Structure formats: C-alpha cells, structure tokens
Amino acid sequence: MAVCARLCGVGPSRGCRRRQQRRGPAETAAADSEPDTDPEEELIEAGSAALSGAGDDRSAGPSSPPRCSLLELPPELLVEIFASLPGTDLPSLAQVCTKFRRILHTDTIWRRRCREEYGVCENLRKLEITGVSCRDVYAKLLHRYRHILGLWQPDIGPYGGLLNVVVDGLFIIGWMYLPPHDPHVDDPMRFKPLFRIHLMERKSATVECMYGHRGPHNGHVQIVKKDEFSTKCNQTDHHRMSGGRQEEFRTWLREEWGRTLEDIFHEHMQELILMKFIYTSQYDNCLTYRRIYLPPSRPDDLIRPGLFKGTYGSHGLEIVMLSFHGKHARGTKITGDPNIPAGQQTVEIDLRHRIQLPDAESLHDFNELSRVVLEVREQVRQEQEKEQEGGPEDAEGLGRQSPQPCEEPPAEPAQAPGDGGAAAAAEPPAQSGQGQPFVLPVGVSSRNEDYPRTCRMCFYGTGLIAGHGFTSPERTPGVFVLFDEDRFGFIWLELKSFSLYSRVQAAFRNADAPSPQAFEEMLKNIQSFTS
C-alpha cells in the first residue's frame, strides 16, 4: 500500500501530506492521539483532494510540480501497481471506488500473486476452461488454507511422524514423509499423500482423503487453532481391502518395511511391527497435527542443523531433529517408538568435552572405549557439583575444549598404561581437515555395517533409554561421532549399540521458526505431549 500512498499523496499515518504540513506540533500530537480512521475513507479523501486541488496555498509554491492522483493513472498502469501489492491488501483496495474494484477483477493481478506468494508456476490460463479464475484460486484455496502450509507432527501416540503440506501445482497436498527401509539410512526419504485440496468449481475448495488404495474420496480439514489442524475421512470404507485385515497388514508391511513377515525372523521385531500396525491403522487418517519448525542455524554450529534419519535397532529407522543450544546439541525424535516416543530428546551432546578416541588398534577393545567415556562422565559430574556449589568459574575451566577434528595421538611422549585418560588424550592440537580412523569396538552391534571408517570429531554425550511404554527412562553415557557434514553416529555404551544418522536431503518451505524463542517453545510442546 506504500506505493499507492506515495502516488496519491497519502501520508504514512492518516490524511494527506499537505494537511499534515499545515499542523503545528500541538495539533499533530493531538491528532496522533485520536483513534485511527478507516483506511478506505483516507484513500477516498486523499484521492478527492488530489483531484479537486484542495489544499492550502502555503503548502505548495508556484514552482511546485503538480501532484498526480492515483485515480488519474491509466488502467494498465494501475494493474501493474496493484499486482505488486500483497494479496491480503487488495480486498481493502477494492472498497475505495468502483474503478479500483473493476480493475481488481483483472486476472493478471491474481496470477502474479499466486506465483510470487505461493510459487504456483502452472499455466493458470487453463483455469479459464473450468470457469475458475486466478482470483478464486488465491482467495478460496491458497489464502484460505495458507495456515496449514509447512511441517507438522501427527498425534499418533508414541510413533509421531512428519507431514509436509505444500502447494503442488493447483493443489495443496499433505505428504507424509517416511524413512527409507531399514537399514538403508543413506537412501532418500519416501513419501505418500494423505490428503489434497483443490478448486474445481467456483463455489469452494474440495478436500479429499488420499489414504488407502481406492483413490481419492471425501475428506475434511479443520484448523483447530494457531499451529494446529485436524483431518477427517468421511468415507473410511475406502481404506478397507477385499482380503480383510490380513491383506491390509501385508500391504502395509511391504510399504513400511519393504519385506514380508516371513522375512523377519526376530520374534521381538515381529511383535513390534504388528503392534505398530494395529495402533496406527485405527486412526483411519483422522488425525490432529501440530506445527514443527526446522532448527535455526548459527555460524558457529558444529554442522548445519536439521532433520536426520537414524537406525534404532528393532524399531527400524526413525527421524531425528538435530539442533544446537550453546554448549550443547540435542537430537529430538520426530518419529518414535513404544520405548522412546516421538518428541523426546533421544541424545544430548556436550560440546565442551571432546573425546579423543584410542588408536585404531585399541579402539577394537570395548573396555578401552568404556574407560575413556566413563572418565569424562566423572569429569562432567564434578563440574556439575561445582556449579551447584556456586563455583561456575571453576567449573568452566574444567575440561573446556574448543571443537577440533580428531587426530591420532602422537607417538611421543609415550604414556604408561593407565596414565592420562581422556583429558590427556585430548591434549594434542588437531589440524583442520585431519581425521581419525574409526571402527566399532568388538561387541558393539550396528544395524548398518556400511558406516564411515573415518571421523572428524567425537564428543561426550548421553542417550535416553527406557522400558516399553516409556517406563523408567534414564540418560546413559555414550559417544557422539561426527563423520562429515551429513552423517554422525552415537555409541550407546550401556546397550553396546551404535546408531548411524544421515541427513534428510529435502528442501522444506514455510518451515523456519519466526524466532529462536518460538523454536524452543515448539520443542517443549512436542516433548510434553508424550511425557
């Protein structure tokens, strides 16, 4: 609206500029304290004043150039001006006068707003065949459902999920993102549509449920409140298969795990899979979604934060969000399982305590790795005690190290067995770009044996473990292993298990947090749902 204001002579707040110039300081202050007038009246009044030449002779000298009213501009120029304004301002502009209202029916204006605000790159001229205008697409589809665009987590008990709602051509589609089949953590994400919204007639947008294997059918989307919406299927019979629940289970198993039940020999894993099918299928795509944001990035972050796929033993692959919080990093589950539900903080990394792994030969010995990690844990415990006693300065000085790439310990000076420990092993400065050979100790299990054999850095961390139903949760020591910008791992010391994480390579729109505080609040909210 600023463009229009400059052209018609409207000031930044109310009235025309000449009227503002005539006021003295006291009058101006008194006018500012009055309630705002209607924007429509301002534009009409300013336009009329410009057309009639109303004003005070003191406001312009004989040499002042004549003012040009917005109403005097040719229609083709007004189309260009209006098309550059946000679509949310145009309805108010249409109330100014009949001429503006008529010009705002020009589809060129709304075609540009659809493209610039929502990225609709389709040939919108094809809509003329169906009798739907670009104005209808903007007002009844894109603008109406703009609040559901972005990333969401469905409320499916402990399992969670990742939904991405996007504008796809002339549709708004909710895509459920699924990890690749276990244990192929480096494979791309899979996705399937859960619902879509489109405009095929001028009356209103149509919502269709895409769940099941019998094509689109009648659905409903309701925006419950800010950052929350729900979906409902009105024809759940479309989700049923002719072969009954057995056929539905086998179809789901092929899609979810890429195998049949006969291929899974582990009895506990079979139970977990069957439990997930029974639990998730009861919702019939009638779900509530809560908004999630991608973590903000800072220049001093260890790596770029974001979403990662990780291996979780018999539970398969799960989606984890890595974020940085000053001296710590956190891995928060976006999808979860009956032991550690979605929303919980699966790992926490202490960036103040870098761990120098033993040499490649000694690393095969699990006891040696355990000794190094437990020494760091004791050091962390002592620091926490000092902080509680009111000595933060002393605690800050203990074990404080800047993140540096791993390197092999120097040959000299040699250390006697049992001397030094983790702190001594971390003493030698590391050169940028130099890594250390990495191999899992004997006895540590991994779902994916195709992990990198060189790491950049290692830090002390803790992992969250619990019994079935999230009973008796506790944080246990472990090692965060940074391989490269897109992969990291975590060694669960108590479980003698290794999780490999690989970055989700996807671009998400409408997913940035409005502020760091909003992101922190989002993390608390999704954790509270399953606590």
Side-chain angles (χ1 to χ4, degrees):
M1 296 296 289
V3 177
C4 299
R6 287 195 295 270
L7 285 170
C8 69
V10 178
S13 58
R14 61 179 68 85
C16 66
R17 289 197 183 97
R18 289 187 292 179
R19 191 178 309 147
Q20 290 178 353
Q21 292 171 357
R22 285 165 45 193
R23 294 176 179 149
E27 295 175 44
T28 302
D32 288 342
S33 65
E34 297 174 358
D36 289 342
T37 58
D38 184 60
E40 176 182 339
E41 295 178 1
E42 296 175 8
L43 285 173
I44 295 175
E45 185 180 358
S48 301
L51 283 169
S52 61
D56 197 306
D57 291 340
R58 291 175 294 174
S59 63
S63 60
S64 299
R67 288 180 179 271
C68 177
S69 168
L70 190 64
L71 296 171
E72 295 175 346
L73 296 178
E76 57 272 16
L77 184 54
L78 288 176
V79 168
E80 287 298 317
I81 294 173
F82 294 169
S84 66
L85 300 175
T88 51
D89 289 346
L90 299 182
S92 298
L93 193 59
Q95 299 176 18
V96 173
C97 62
T98 304
K99 180 178 181 179
F100 285 6
R101 188 179 306 113
R102 184 175 63 253
I103 291 174
L104 284 169
H105 277 83
T106 306
D107 235 27
T108 305
I109 297 173
W110 299 99
R111 184 180 302 117
R112 179 172 169 183
R113 299 323 314 150
C114 290
R115 182 180 69 250
E116 293 187 359
E117 294 182 28
Y118 297 99
V120 178
C121 300
E122 300 290 320
N123 185 1
L124 297 177
R125 298 180 187 275
K126 295 179 181 178
L127 289 173
E128 299 173 0
I129 302 175
T130 62
V132 178
S133 67
C134 295
R135 182 181 181 182
D136 291 331
V137 172
Y138 185 94
K140 298 179 180 180
L141 178 66
L142 302 177
H143 181 71
R144 179 181 177 185
Y145 290 99
R146 69 193 184 280
H147 294 301
I148 70 171
L149 299 177
L151 291 178
W152 303 83
Q153 185 182 52
D155 184 7
I156 314 180
Y159 298 103
L162 180 65
L163 181 82
N164 186 25
V165 182
V166 300
V167 176
D168 191 346
L170 299 179
F171 293 84
I172 290 178
I173 303 180
W175 294 98
M176 180 67 82
Y177 275 63
L178 305 170
H181 293 139
D182 181 58
H184 308 293
V185 70
D186 286 325
D187 286 358
M189 295 283 285
R190 301 173 295 124
F191 43 88
K192 63 179 181 180
L194 291 190
F195 65 87
R196 71 180 185 181
I197 312 171
H198 60 114
L199 195 68
M200 296 304 293
E201 56 183 25
R202 299 191 64 179
K203 293 182 180 179
S204 61
T206 300
V207 179
E208 294 177 326
C209 175
M210 304 292 287
Y211 189 79
H213 298 82
R214 296 171 60 181
H217 46 284
N218 188 22
H220 177 70
V221 168
Q222 180 182 3
I223 300 177
V224 180
K225 58 182 180 181
K226 186 179 183 294
D227 296 335
E228 184 176 320
F229 78 97
S230 62
T231 59
K232 180 181 179 182
C233 176
N234 297 327
Q235 295 176 290
T236 56
D237 57 299
H238 280 63
H239 305 168
R240 309 283 81 86
M241 303 186 75
S242 58
R245 295 289 281 174
Q246 186 174 4
E247 182 183 359
E248 293 171 14
F249 172 64
R250 291 186 177 276
T251 303
W252 175 86
L253 186 59
R254 286 195 301 269
E255 294 176 351
E256 186 83 6
W257 291 83
R259 62 183 79 176
T260 64
L261 196 61
E262 290 76 14
D263 297 331
I264 303 172
F265 301 105
H266 198 289
E267 185 176 349
H268 178 59
M269 192 172 182
Q270 290 180 351
E271 294 175 353
L272 291 173
I273 291 173
L274 184 59
M275 184 188 308
K276 184 175 182 179
F277 169 74
I278 295 173
Y279 192 97
T280 58
S281 60
Q282 66 180 335
Y283 286 89
D284 267 336
N285 206 23
C286 299
L287 298 167
T288 298
Y289 297 87
R290 297 179 178 88
R291 184 179 294 280
I292 59 175
Y293 298 116
L294 292 178
S297 179
R298 301 175 182 84
D300 57 345
D301 288 341
L302 191 63
I303 59 173
R304 180 166 53 92
L307 298 175
F308 289 79
K309 306 154 284 183
T311 55
Y312 279 87
S314 300
H315 298 292
L317 299 188
E318 299 184 9
I319 303 173
V320 170
M321 177 184 290
L322 179 68
S323 57
F324 292 91
H325 310 262
K327 303 169 185 176
H328 294 82
R330 299 174 187 167
T332 304
K333 280 194 171 187
I334 303 302
T335 62
D337 53 68
N339 291 76
I340 307 297
Q344 293 300 315
Q345 185 180 313
T346 177
V347 294
E348 181 172 357
I349 304 100
D350 190 338
L351 300 176
R352 300 171 300 178
H353 295 89
R354 188 170 69 88
I355 289 180
Q356 181 67 50
L357 296 178
D359 58 75
E361 187 66 28
S362 301
L363 187 57
H364 282 281
D365 185 357
F366 177 80
N367 292 330
E368 177 63 18
L369 175 64
S370 180
R371 180 187 65 82
V372 171
V373 175
L374 293 180
E375 285 183 359
V376 178
R377 185 179 69 168
E378 177 61 22
Q379 187 177 351
V380 171
R381 188 189 64 80
Q382 293 177 10
E383 293 177 12
Q384 292 174 344
E385 288 181 352
K386 282 187 173 292
E387 289 177 356
Q388 293 173 358
E389 293 171 359
E393 294 182 0
D394 294 335
E396 286 288 331
L398 284 173
R400 186 72 174 276
Q401 298 163 6
S402 59
Q404 295 176 333
C406 292
E407 74 165 7
E408 296 184 20
E412 294 180 357
Q415 294 179 340
D419 290 345
E427 282 294 327
Q431 298 178 4
S432 178
Q434 189 175 6
Q436 174 182 356
F438 177 80
V439 63
L440 286 177
V442 176
V444 174
S445 62
S446 173
R447 296 286 295 176
N448 193 327
E449 294 297 332
D450 189 24
Y451 59 85
R453 294 309 194 264
T454 303
C455 69
R456 287 185 186 175
M457 311 178 189
C458 298
F459 293 90
Y460 173 78
T462 58
L464 183 62
I465 63 174
H468 187 85
F470 197 41
T471 56
S472 305
E474 62 173 319
R475 306 208 68 88
T476 60
V479 182
F480 172 84
V481 185
L482 177 63
F483 295 114
D484 52 45
E485 176 68 21
D486 297 323
R487 288 178 296 180
F488 66 88
F490 191 83
I491 300 177
W492 307 76
L493 211 62
E494 185 169 325
L495 302 179
K496 288 191 175 181
S497 177
F498 174 73
S499 292
L500 177 64
Y501 301 82
S502 178
R503 186 181 298 277
V504 173
Q505 302 288 356
F508 298 105
R509 297 187 60 179
N510 304 296
D512 294 330
S515 67
Q517 294 76 18
F519 176 76
E520 295 288 346
E521 188 66 25
M522 180 271 298
L523 286 182
K524 293 179 182 177
N525 289 338
I526 64 174
Q527 185 175 10
S528 65
F529 296 144
T530 56
S531 294

